Amino acid sequence: MIKVGLLSDTHGFLDKKVFETFKGVDEIWHAGDIGTIELCDELKKFKPFYAVHGHIDGREIRLEYPLNLMLERERFKILITHIGGYPGNYEPKARKKIEEVKPDIFICGHSHVLRVM
């Protein structure tokens, strides 16, 4: 079973504890508002890194990381975006993408609140 380190809304700050916390993960996924391309580069040196851009991210990050990212892991379709909402209250663009791709797992950032539903 794949182990994933999930981040969001780092806004350019990467606590060094991440490297200890994520030492046993296979991949790192970032759900947007990364902040700096250097943060991405640091994480890419550490583990395979996948990310989407958020609304605070500049041109350099937006060119490298998409608004929506589809991954397939262990027969699961995973959709990652930054502004998504939650069941019953999806952001309209996210709802459209969810209806289009029908992911098994939907991950989003933006709220700064950990919520697993």
Side-chain angles (χ1 to χ4, degrees):
M1 179 182 298
I2 188 173
K3 292 183 181 180
V4 175
L6 186 59
L7 293 171
S8 180
D9 298 275
T10 48
H11 295 264
F13 174 73
L14 185 61
D15 191 319
K16 299 306 176 196
K17 292 177 189 172
V18 165
F19 298 104
E20 178 63 27
T21 302
F22 287 179
K23 71 180 177 189
V25 306
D26 300 299
E27 298 179 347
I28 298 173
W29 302 349
H30 197 300
D33 277 2
I34 299 163
T36 67
I37 200 73
E38 292 80 14
L39 188 145
C40 301
D41 294 341
E42 198 170 346
L43 289 170
K44 282 196 291 193
K45 289 179 195 171
F46 178 58
K47 298 282 180 171
F49 178 71
Y50 301 88
V52 296
H53 69 261
H55 64 285
I56 67 118
D57 292 318
R59 184 176 191 277
E60 193 172 16
I61 290 173
R62 288 171 186 256
L63 286 173
E64 188 164 344
Y65 300 99
L67 175 64
N68 299 302
L69 178 63
M70 281 296 306
L71 299 172
E72 288 195 30
R73 299 293 186 272
E74 299 180 6
R75 298 187 308 266
F76 289 99
K77 289 192 316 187
I78 301 132
L79 172 61
I80 305 173
T81 196
H82 181 60
I83 299 176
Y86 52 90
N89 192 29
Y90 290 118
E91 188 274 334
K93 290 178 187 172
R95 176 185 303 283
K96 183 177 178 184
K97 193 70 175 175
I98 291 166
E99 290 170 355
E100 175 188 321
V101 301
K102 297 177 179 43
D104 300 301
I105 299 170
F106 175 62
I107 297 169
C108 62
H110 186 61
S111 70
H112 296 233
V113 175
L114 174 62
R115 186 181 309 193
V116 178
M117 301 172 78

